[in-house]
Amino acid sequence: MQCVRRQPARTKSQESLYRAQMKTTARNNMKHLGLEDDGDLQFLMNGGDLLKVRSGSWKKTRYYKLQEDCKTMWHESKKTLKSKQTFSVEDIDEVRTGRQTESLRKYTEESVEGRAFSILFKGRQKGLDLIARSEEEAKKWVGGLEKVISNIKNLTPQKKTEHWIYSCLRKADKNFDNKISQKELKSFLRDINIEVSEDYAEMLFQKCDKSKCGFLEGKEIEHFYEILTQREEIDVIYEEYAKTDGLMSAADLLNFLLHEQKEDVSQNDALQLIEKYELDENAKAKQQMTKDGFLMYLHQPEGLISNLAHENVYQDMNQPLNHYFISSSHNTYLLEDQLKGPSSTEAYIKALLKGCRCVELDCWDGSDGEPVIYHGYTLTSKVLFKDVIKAIQENAFKTSEYPLILSLENHCSVEQQKIMAQHLISILGSALITKPLGDQMPTCLPSPEELKGRFIVKGKRLDKLEDMFSESKTADEESVTEEEDDEGDEEDQEKKSSKTKLLKLAKELSDIVIYCKSVHFHGFEDSQDKQSFYEMASFKEGKAVKLAEESANDYIHHNIDKLSRIYPAGLRTDSSNYNPVPLWNAGCQIVALNFQTACPEMDLNRGLFLQNGQSGYNLKPSYLRDRDTKFDPITLPDGPWLKNKTLHVMVISAQQLPKVSERKSSIVDPVVKVQVYGVPADTTMVETQYIENNGFNPMWNENFQFDVRVPDLALVRFSIEDYDSSSNNEFIGQYTLPFNSLKKGYHHVPLLTKNGDHLSSAGLFVHIMVVDAE
């Protein structure tokens, strides 16, 4: 949130002009969003009081109002006008009705359920817990906000650009006369992230000032907008293929799709694109596409860089679980660092909504007989185990319907382990796996397809799974494990008097560990001889990396039959992450990362699991599933994995990059980096020259070439930074995707923030070509 500076007092005439302009602005923006006569939106714009809840003793009334731009919420204290703050509707991740956050459940009574709602933000911004004056008003607040969020999200890129530019133009019109002077024009250009010389600003102004009266208005402002948003590079491409009276016929468009985009399509596909994206009804009637329609297509899913078919589940989901890479989180309960950061059910919800399929629960004895989750021996806050299980049950399958693994790090007494088992069984119900599928002892793990909508508990087990099918007496709660594994963090291991310290297990908790029994790793030979398919080891980051570097083929063979979980070093108290790629190269399935930390490593994780419908399960390449494989990512012997591709990337331009500094005078100097991650021989990085003082429409037209030997394991990361010659560049945005998801031809690359949220309107424009290496 940012404070709003007080403006100097206006004269009466200025105030009158201002109010009239604001009403017109509001009407235009409501119309722009398709909500011109919407009662809920009008309610938001009129504003009202809400009770803001922070704790049991901090509950204060605040006045909230949607501003005239229809995307900024403004609020102030009722007592004083000095405390005014704003936040963007585009920063809202979710509006949640009822007492559905920890704070509202803890600090409010059930009687306010119908009046309560929460605004949750993207990234680490703290959410707002609010109570309306009535249930009817609560519905209007929630309904209005959801409509604005939805309609902004569904605006076409052109409409978003138009909306943003005209908002900036109105902001630049200091005296509210609906005219733009040359000085105001220069200020406006800074607002949209361009710094130009006085000579260029004057030239641009004179070009638009047809009336020669010293300011721009009406049609002149429209002409200025057209000059500003002209895409030279799009003009060149369009004119190359628009061979029918200056427009693209279906045949022309098909020619473009076949020769530039290398797509396997027919003229009927071209006609469908015209019908779907052409804006001009006359052109559409003639089955033609204008330049605006062509640009619209290039901004849509069909024109983006990622293969549209990969947005759905397209891989075989009937293989055993151990044949998949599984999106996995470490210390899922933490929102920040691992020493004093808060633990929260919200952290689980965020991870699950991002497609995570393995979450960690660090369980300890709590007061009043209720187990808690937190990072042991630290100052991190605690959250009740049962509250976490409830949050998991409610959100587990919203993003992915495939199985969720609950990785238990168990430090509880036997009594509280029994309570853990009770909560798991009662809350998760029939969705919890409590016995193997089928009537006989299985010989391999079930598939993601067979386990759709099911929960799998990973933890210690007192006996073997085979004992469930024998008539012999099973172990009781006094039995103990033979040896604790490496699952605890490194600092925990140092606190233990012996690594063979025995741990008592409650039979009730042991009995619901079916397919993921935790065991200690004693070496590849030992695991081959003694480890069952349902038994799995956890590896410290350092140990796993060493095995992947020094014994890669042995590690790959181990991971063909068994699951492996990797977790960050205990010294990463700041919740930083390690590079997951070398572990994926060695076939490790559950490579657990700190989801709460925005970093390049999480970009890679997000990029890998972008495919296959963001299901959180990616089928490993065949040579990481074949028991006779000779694959080694380090030495790269000959084999079917060597597909030797040459990737050509032309970085052409970028559009509407955000400022990285709040200072009005700060304009970005963008530089683009293209990185390939994969086997060591494929890993490389290149970068463009930086463009000085232009974040609005920088142009590079730079070509790069990459040799990719093992494309199945390669990821491509595009990132844009603000160049700084005296210090580290500042991050602007990035996008990572699997090499095999790249589309050929001209494409826009959407940009994500550090937290993985889309940067509205911002993007990169590139040309991609992939050919067999000579």
Side-chain angles (χ1 to χ4, degrees):
M1 291 184 186
Q2 57 189 14
C3 289
V4 177
R5 292 182 181 175
R6 235 185 203 289
Q7 297 292 330
R10 303 185 186 98
T11 65
K12 284 187 177 180
S13 60
Q14 282 181 323
E15 187 65 32
S16 178
L17 278 169
Y18 174 75
R19 289 184 182 279
Q21 189 185 51
M22 289 301 100
K23 282 183 181 179
T24 302
T25 299
R27 277 198 304 272
N28 288 340
N29 286 324
M30 290 169 76
K31 186 176 180 180
H32 203 76
L33 291 173
L35 297 169
E36 191 172 6
D37 299 314
D38 189 85
D40 288 343
L41 183 60
Q42 192 60 58
F43 175 81
L44 291 190
M45 300 194 78
N46 291 335
D49 288 341
L50 290 167
L51 187 67
K52 183 177 177 181
V53 178
R54 281 188 182 169
S55 68
S57 58
W58 200 104
K59 298 175 183 176
K60 298 185 180 181
T61 300
R62 294 286 182 263
Y63 180 78
Y64 286 82
K65 178 183 184 297
L66 182 66
Q67 292 191 316
E68 287 76 11
D69 64 358
C70 287
K71 65 176 186 178
T72 304
M73 285 294 293
W74 175 88
H75 58 105
E76 67 175 6
S77 166
K78 200 169 184 181
K79 288 184 177 180
T80 173
L81 294 178
K82 289 182 181 177
S83 176
K84 298 179 183 178
Q85 291 186 314
T86 65
F87 61 84
S88 172
V89 171
E90 292 180 289
D91 290 336
I92 296 175
D93 191 40
E94 179 188 0
V95 182
R96 197 178 295 170
T97 57
R99 297 164 59 249
Q100 298 300 312
T101 61
E102 290 174 38
S103 294
L104 283 177
R105 281 194 292 263
K106 188 175 181 181
Y107 302 126
T108 63
E109 302 296 325
E110 284 187 26
S111 58
V112 304
E113 180 72 32
R115 296 192 287 129
F117 67 97
S118 301
I119 298 174
L120 305 176
F121 295 99
K122 298 169 183 175
R124 289 188 177 182
Q125 185 174 334
K126 203 168 184 179
L128 293 171
D129 290 316
L130 304 165
I131 300 174
R133 290 177 294 196
S134 69
E135 291 191 16
E136 184 183 356
E137 285 198 1
K139 289 176 183 175
K140 287 183 176 180
W141 281 108
V142 173
L145 283 169
E146 287 180 339
K147 285 174 187 174
V148 174
I149 292 167
S150 174
N151 284 44
I152 287 177
K153 193 180 290 184
N154 292 329
L155 282 176
T156 66
Q158 287 94 325
K159 284 290 183 184
K160 284 183 182 177
T161 300
E162 183 182 325
H163 185 75
W164 176 57
I165 287 178
Y166 277 108
S167 293
C168 291
L169 279 168
R170 282 189 291 272
K171 183 180 172 186
D173 182 13
K174 302 297 184 186
N175 58 357
F176 320 114
D177 61 357
N178 290 319
K179 300 173 183 177
I180 301 292
S181 68
Q182 187 171 324
K183 182 179 179 182
E184 288 173 333
L185 181 137
K186 190 98 186 295
S187 173
F188 159 76
L189 290 172
R190 283 198 203 96
D191 280 343
I192 65 167
N193 218 353
I194 311 175
E195 181 69 59
V196 298
S197 67
E198 292 292 341
D199 289 344
Y200 182 81
E202 184 176 358
M203 181 274 290
L204 189 59
F205 188 83
Q206 295 301 333
K207 190 173 183 179
C208 298
D209 185 15
K210 304 292 186 184
S211 62
K212 305 300 178 187
C213 59
F215 52 79
L216 308 182
E217 63 177 332
K219 294 288 185 183
E220 294 170 333
I221 292 178
E222 288 181 22
H223 182 48
F224 171 65
Y225 170 80
E226 288 168 3
I227 292 174
L228 197 64
T229 56
Q230 184 179 5
R231 294 278 302 274
E232 231 178 275
E233 69 278 29
I234 302 298
D235 293 350
V236 171
I237 301 165
Y238 182 79
E239 288 163 10
E240 176 71 22
Y241 287 90
K243 302 298 184 184
T244 308
D245 300 325
L247 297 177
M248 265 190 185
S249 65
D252 295 336
L253 180 57
L254 177 62
N255 191 27
F256 170 79
L257 295 172
L258 293 173
H259 293 94
E260 289 292 352
Q261 309 298 76
K262 308 297 182 186
E263 293 185 22
D264 182 16
V265 290
S266 66
Q267 186 151 328
N268 189 52
D269 295 305
L271 284 168
Q272 286 181 11
L273 288 176
I274 292 172
E275 181 63 31
K276 198 171 180 181
Y277 297 124
E278 179 50 52
L279 305 170
D280 187 304
E281 291 300 327
N282 291 329
K284 188 187 290 188
K286 296 177 183 177
Q287 298 185 334
Q288 294 176 331
M289 183 174 267
T290 62
K291 193 189 301 177
D292 285 343
F294 183 64
L295 181 57
M296 171 74 84
Y297 145 70
L298 285 173
H299 274 298
Q300 299 305 316
E302 292 92 338
L304 299 183
I305 194 167
S306 183
N307 190 329
L308 199 55
H310 294 185
E311 290 188 5
N312 299 312
V313 174
Y314 69 96
Q315 296 174 352
D316 178 6
M317 302 301 280
N318 292 293
Q319 301 279 331
L321 278 184
N322 46 295
H323 285 183
Y324 297 83
F325 297 123
I326 303 172
S327 181
S328 308
S329 164
H330 171 253
N331 286 357
T332 315
Y333 48 90
L334 290 176
L335 287 169
E336 296 174 16
D337 67 80
Q338 314 208 4
L339 292 179
K340 56 186 187 327
S343 303
S344 172
T345 56
E346 288 301 326
Y348 285 93
I349 295 170
K350 283 177 180 285
L352 292 170
L353 295 182
K354 288 177 180 176
C356 181
R357 294 292 84 194
C358 177
V359 296
E360 184 178 20
L361 299 91
D362 200 344
C363 309
W364 299 78
D365 279 355
S367 58
D368 302 324
E370 282 291 346
V372 296
I373 292 176
Y374 83 112
H375 198 44
Y377 308 116
T378 69
L379 299 176
T380 57
S381 64
K382 300 173 183 177
V383 60
L384 289 175
F385 177 83
K386 65 179 179 181
D387 287 348
V388 167
I389 301 304
K390 286 177 185 174
I392 288 173
Q393 188 274 330
E394 290 168 3
N395 295 277
F397 304 110
K398 287 183 177 179
T399 297
S400 170
E401 59 186 343
Y402 290 98
L404 179 67
I405 299 170
L406 308 179
S407 180
L408 301 183
E409 191 174 323
N410 179 13
H411 306 274
C412 290
S413 62
V414 169
E415 286 307 310
Q416 293 211 10
Q417 288 179 44
K418 291 179 182 179
I419 294 171
M420 285 169 60
Q422 289 171 15
H423 289 322
L424 286 164
I425 292 167
S426 64
I427 295 170
L428 302 182
S430 60
L432 178 67
I433 293 288
T434 56
K435 60 180 182 179
L437 303 182
D439 299 325
Q440 296 182 331
M441 177 63 198
T443 56
C444 67
L445 291 173
S447 70
E449 190 67 30
E450 292 174 292
L451 292 168
K452 267 185 180 178
R454 307 298 296 272
F455 296 94
I456 303 167
V457 174
K458 172 191 170 295
K460 289 289 187 181
R461 185 179 171 91
L462 291 167
D463 55 2
K464 289 184 172 295
L465 193 61
E466 289 84 347
D467 294 339
M468 292 185 73
F469 296 87
S470 69
E471 296 180 2
S472 60
K473 185 177 180 293
T474 56
D476 61 29
E477 66 181 39
E478 296 303 315
S479 298
V480 293
T481 57
E482 295 176 3
E483 182 175 18
E484 268 198 278
D485 66 6
D486 275 352
E487 206 165 330
D489 282 334
E490 290 177 13
E491 65 265 32
D492 291 346
Q493 295 293 328
E494 291 170 8
K495 291 181 175 70
K496 295 170 185 170
S497 57
S498 167
K499 283 196 176 182
T500 57
K501 179 181 175 182
L502 300 179
L503 173 71
K504 285 195 173 184
L505 279 179
K507 181 178 182 298
E508 292 86 344
L509 188 60
S510 167
D511 284 352
I512 56 176
V513 174
I514 306 299
Y515 291 123
C516 294
K517 177 184 176 181
S518 299
V519 297
H520 190 77
F521 179 73
H522 291 286
F524 294 125
E525 189 175 334
D526 179 84
S527 68
Q528 186 176 358
D529 294 339
K530 299 177 182 177
Q531 192 175 326
S532 296
F533 69 90
Y534 59 85
E535 295 178 320
M536 60 176 290
S538 289
F539 299 83
K540 299 174 188 176
E541 164 196 337
K543 183 175 183 178
V545 170
K546 186 175 182 182
L547 289 173
E549 289 176 348
E550 297 177 2
S551 309
N553 189 256
D554 289 335
Y555 211 178
I556 288 166
H557 278 95
H558 173 84
N559 291 321
I560 287 169
D561 296 316
K562 289 105 181 169
L563 285 169
S564 290
R565 176 178 176 269
I566 320 301
Y567 61 92
L571 297 176
R572 294 185 182 273
T573 54
D574 58 352
S575 291
S576 59
N577 280 308
Y578 55 95
N579 181 4
V581 175
L583 288 315
W584 291 328
N585 292 344
C588 299
Q589 301 90 346
I590 302 177
V591 182
L593 298 178
N594 290 305
F595 268 52
Q596 70 272 30
T597 303
C599 57
E601 293 80 16
M602 269 306 298
D603 294 341
L604 296 173
N605 191 81
R606 196 178 295 111
L608 177 69
F609 293 103
L610 183 71
Q611 61 184 324
N612 207 31
Q614 297 185 49
S615 63
Y617 284 85
N618 284 356
L619 185 64
K620 295 194 286 186
S622 59
Y623 45 84
L624 292 181
R625 296 181 274 126
D626 177 10
R627 286 187 173 84
D628 297 322
T629 186
K630 299 290 190 294
F631 177 68
D632 187 313
I634 309 298
T635 60
L636 284 186
D638 284 338
W641 44 85
L642 288 178
K643 296 179 181 176
N644 295 322
K645 302 290 183 181
T646 299
L647 168 65
H648 297 272
V649 177
M650 183 182 188
V651 177
I652 301 171
S653 63
Q655 299 77 42
Q656 292 172 241
L657 303 177
K659 292 188 176 189
V660 294
S661 170
E662 292 298 321
R663 287 185 292 114
K664 182 180 176 67
S665 60
S666 175
I667 310 295
V668 301
D669 303 326
V671 57
V672 178
K673 292 183 177 180
V674 185
Q675 295 161 281
V676 175
Y677 291 85
V679 299
D682 290 343
T683 303
T684 188
M685 188 269 286
V686 297
E687 64 180 71
T688 65
Q689 299 293 315
Y690 70 90
I691 305 294
E692 193 170 0
N693 287 333
N694 187 350
F696 183 74
N697 55 3
M699 187 94 69
W700 289 275
N701 289 321
E702 293 190 40
N703 290 285
F704 303 101
Q705 179 177 314
F706 304 86
D707 293 322
V708 182
R709 296 155 186 81
V710 188
D712 296 334
L713 294 175
L715 295 166
V716 182
R717 183 174 187 260
F718 298 89
S719 61
I720 305 185
E721 299 174 352
D722 182 13
Y723 175 78
D724 193 319
S725 60
S726 59
S727 62
N728 292 333
N729 295 348
E730 288 192 76
F731 175 89
I732 295 175
Q734 71 83 33
Y735 192 75
T736 306
L737 74 166
F739 180 94
N740 287 340
S741 292
L742 283 171
K743 286 199 296 194
K744 298 172 185 176
Y746 290 101
H747 296 288
H748 282 103
V749 182
L751 293 176
L752 307 180
T753 65
K754 282 184 178 179
N755 293 307
D757 301 309
H758 278 273
L759 278 171
S760 180
S761 302
L764 184 66
F765 189 56
V766 300
H767 183 270
I768 301 293
M769 189 163 62
V770 178
V771 297
D772 292 331
E774 294 180 1

